[in-house]
Structure formats: C-alpha cells, structure tokens
C-alpha cells in the first residue's frame, strides 16, 4: 500500500500542475501580471522584468487537491494533514497579498515588514493552537540529548520556527528554479522520515508537494516562464517548518534545509556587519547566491551546485534520523 500511496501522491500532484500551469501562465501574460525586478539589483536580471509571478498558486492548489484525494482514498487523511494544508494555504495567501500589491502597483515593494510579520505570527499562533489540541508533544528533540520539555517556551520556539523558515525560503527564491529544487529535496527527505514513522498523512502531504514542484520546475528553471512569488516561497517555508514540528524532528531542518539557513545567515551577517562598521560590506551582495553571480557564476551552475549541497545535507540528515 505504501508504494501505491507514494506513486499516486506524486502522480496526481504532478499531473494537476503540469496540465493547468500553462493556462495560468497564459492568463498572467494576457493580463500583464508580471514581476517587477528590483531596480537596485543585478543589471542582468532586468530582462526578467514582466515574467509572470504567483506561480505558487498552482502548486499550492495541486498539493491541496492531491493530498485530499490520496488522503481520503487511502484513508490516511488526519489532523496532521489538515494542519499542514492550513499552513500551506495561509502562508500562501499572505504571500499572494504581498505579490498582488507589487503586481498592481508595478513596483518591487509589497507589504510593509511589520504587516508581513504580523500575518506570519497569526498563522503560527493558529498552528500552535491546533498543534496543542491534537495532543502533540511540547518538548524539543535535541540531537544526542533527547526530548527537552519546554512547556510554554515551545510555543515561542514554534512561532520563531515558522516565521524564520518562511522567510528563509523567501530569501532563497532569487534565481530561476533555485528554491524550487531545494524545496523538492527537503520535502522528499521529510516524506521518507514520515513513512519511517508511519505518519502517512504527513508523508502524503510531503510527496504531493514534491510532485507539484517537480512539474512546476519545468516552467520555473532558467529561463523561467513563471516565478513562484512570495505566495509560493512563504508557503513552502512555513510548510517545511510545520512538517519538522509534526515529525518531532524540529532541529533537523537546520541541516536538511541547510542551504536555506546559509542563505539567511549571510543576509543577517551582512546587515549586522554593515551597521557595526558604519557602511562596510562583508559580502559583495546577499543572499549568498548573488555573491556567486557577481563572481561570474551562471544561474545554472549556482542552481546545480546548491541543489547538490542540499541533496547531500538532506541525505545525511535522513540517514542520521533513521
């Protein structure tokens, strides 16, 4: 039965995305709903101006549809499935709001930082309420130590975790296909762990996301025909954090999603160094994938290198948790 669940989760999500995404791209192009590239960014990115965005709408929809179909059909739809679907959709809608402001105002600025943060906090609080209602542990699993009870502290940790990783994937989504490929790798790793734990509701969700993203990558790799937008990146990051919490392997995401962590860390280091030194920069540009661009690397080379690193981290992470 597990093989059948794996196959149908991947196939249905892939098919829904592959069939309907071309129609979505044509619709966005016909209505001029494209990305406005940041004018202070890299000059060679200007040719991407006007590329349709909010592609996350398609793979989020495909993931929800496939999770419901397979979950009901195989009798594995449960509270974990519901909370993951909520997280994916909620953070997706928050990102859609942000993208819509950019598209309609023809600018690169969307929601104000405090508005986005408030939305992320609200989503995290709802997640925690349902999480606690479902009876999940409020202890943090620390490698080589075991479960450490945090009580109310776990609530704060979970909020930081959801916000942090939704922003981490968002920061990584700066090159064609980069965040998509890394997300495929991370969700596949957690799908394997979920199967090992017999958490089939979580497993189905992870695999439907993998299937939907695999189809999305066909149109998202360089040169991208559509971007996932904040709608896609915030949803994927929030969902990854939620999966790690539900599998009770929270800190594993620092390793399995290590490239996301590195990308975010370089931004934090750059900002801190800039303020401490009153205007000096440690990197040419962050997130770190832009540093490699300025060093002469092409997008494909960066993508393949980062994907390879992500695959190694995910594989060793799964092996360590097995």
């Amino acid at each position: 039965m597990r093989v059948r669940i794996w196959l149908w989760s991947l196939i249905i999500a892939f098919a829904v995305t592959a069939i309907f995404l071309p129609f979505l791209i044509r619709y966005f192009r016909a209505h001029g709903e494209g990305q406005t590239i940041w004018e202070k960014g890299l000059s060679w990115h200007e040719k991407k101006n006007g590329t349709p965005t909010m592609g996350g709408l398609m793979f989020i929809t495909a993931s929800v549809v496939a999770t419901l179909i397979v979950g009901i059909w195989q009798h594995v739809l449960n509270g974990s499935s519901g909370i993951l679907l909520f997280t994916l959709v909620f953070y997706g809608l928050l990102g859609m709001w942000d993208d819509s402001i950019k598209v309609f105002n023809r600018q690169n600025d969307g929601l104000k930082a405090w508005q986005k943060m408030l939305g992320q906090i609200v989503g995290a609080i709802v997640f925690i309420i349902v999480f606690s209602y479902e009876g999940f542990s409020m202890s943090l699993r620390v490698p080589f130590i075991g479960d450490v009870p945090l009580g109310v502290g776990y609530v704060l940790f979970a909020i930081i975790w959801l916000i942090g990783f939704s922003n981490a994937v968002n920061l990584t989504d700066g090159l064609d296909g980069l965040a998509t490929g890394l997300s495929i790798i991370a969700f596949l790793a957690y799908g394997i762990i979920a199967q090992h734990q017999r958490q089939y509701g979580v497993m189905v969700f992870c695999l439907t996301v993998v299937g939907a993203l695999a189809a999305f990558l066909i149109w998202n790799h360089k040169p991208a025909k559509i971007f996932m937008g904040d709608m896609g990146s915030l949803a994927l990051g929030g969902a990854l954090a939620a999966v790690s919490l539900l599998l009770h392997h929270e800190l594993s995401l620092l390793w399995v999603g290590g490239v996301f962590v590195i990308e975010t860390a370089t931004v934090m280091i750059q900002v801190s160094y800039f303020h401490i030194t009153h205007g000096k920069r440690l990197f040419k540009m962050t997130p770190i994938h832009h540093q490699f661009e300025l060093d002469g690397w092409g997008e494909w080379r960066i993508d393949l290198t980062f994907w390879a690193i992500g695959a190694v981290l995910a594989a060793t992470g799964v092996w360590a948790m097995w």
Side-chain angles (χ1 to χ4, degrees):
M1 183 184 84
R2 277 176 282 181
V3 174
R4 188 167 61 198
I5 294 177
W6 268 80
L7 288 174
W8 283 115
S9 298
L10 293 168
I11 289 171
I12 294 175
F14 184 95
V16 172
T17 305
I19 291 170
F20 293 103
L21 186 57
F23 295 100
L24 186 66
I25 294 174
R26 285 198 289 270
Y27 174 84
F28 283 156
R29 285 196 178 278
H31 291 78
E33 297 182 9
Q35 179 75 39
T36 300
I37 302 301
W38 184 41
E39 61 273 13
K40 295 182 181 179
L42 300 174
S43 59
W44 53 87
H45 281 202
E46 291 178 3
K47 61 186 178 182
K48 301 181 182 185
N49 208 52
T51 302
T53 187
M54 288 192 284
L57 176 63
M58 191 67 259
F59 62 72
I60 290 172
T61 302
S63 299
V64 171
V65 169
T67 297
L68 292 175
I69 290 175
V70 177
I72 294 172
W73 178 25
Q74 297 295 330
H75 308 291
V76 295
L77 196 68
N78 54 25
S80 295
S81 306
I83 193 172
L84 288 173
L85 290 176
F86 163 79
T87 304
L88 186 74
V89 172
F90 184 91
Y91 280 88
L93 290 175
L94 179 63
M96 185 179 188
W97 186 11
D98 190 37
D99 287 331
S100 297
I101 295 173
K102 298 174 184 177
V103 169
F104 295 138
N105 292 336
R106 307 292 182 185
Q107 62 183 29
N108 189 257
D109 295 323
L111 291 171
K112 291 180 173 57
W114 70 267
Q115 293 174 320
K116 185 183 292 187
M117 178 70 74
L118 179 60
Q120 291 171 311
I121 291 173
V122 170
I125 290 174
V126 175
F127 172 90
I128 286 296
I129 292 172
V130 179
F131 184 87
S132 59
Y133 179 79
E134 289 289 325
F136 292 102
S137 172
M138 288 293 182
S139 60
L140 179 66
R141 179 163 295 176
V142 180
F144 310 112
I145 295 177
D147 290 351
V148 178
L150 295 182
V152 178
Y154 192 86
V155 174
L156 180 60
F157 168 81
I159 291 173
I160 293 173
W161 212 237
L162 286 158
I163 294 172
F165 276 95
S166 63
N167 287 328
V169 177
N170 184 239
L171 288 171
T172 306
D173 183 35
L175 298 180
D176 297 357
L178 179 58
T180 303
L182 289 169
S183 296
I184 289 172
I185 293 166
F187 276 104
L188 181 59
Y190 280 118
I192 294 171
I193 295 300
Q195 176 181 322
H196 182 66
Q197 293 186 2
R198 291 186 171 81
Q199 290 204 46
Y200 297 122
V202 177
M203 183 191 81
V204 166
F205 173 82
C206 289
L207 295 179
T208 59
V209 174
V210 169
L213 288 177
F216 181 73
L217 187 59
I218 297 172
W219 287 271
N220 183 238
H221 71 71
K222 181 178 174 59
K225 303 299 187 296
I226 188 169
F227 299 139
M228 69 169 65
D230 284 6
M231 181 177 191
S233 58
L234 291 179
L236 291 173
L240 264 178
V243 166
S244 70
L245 291 166
L246 290 172
L247 293 179
H248 196 35
H249 276 296
E250 303 89 347
L251 298 181
S252 68
L253 189 51
L254 294 173
W255 188 261
V256 173
V259 177
F260 297 127
V261 175
I262 292 169
E263 291 269 51
T264 306
T266 59
V267 174
M268 296 171 68
I269 292 170
Q270 181 86 318
V271 172
S272 299
Y273 188 80
F274 183 85
H275 287 296
I276 292 171
T277 60
H278 304 290
K280 293 183 180 180
R281 288 177 169 81
L282 188 61
F283 302 99
K284 294 178 183 177
M285 190 174 182
T286 57
I288 194 66
H289 58 256
H290 290 317
Q291 168 85 38
F292 287 102
E293 279 194 283
L294 290 170
D295 286 340
W297 286 37
E299 287 193 47
W300 266 117
R301 183 182 179 186
I302 297 171
D303 281 352
L304 292 173
T305 302
F306 280 38
W307 291 346
I309 295 171
V312 171
L313 291 174
T316 52
V318 169
W319 175 80
M321 288 183 283
W322 202 258

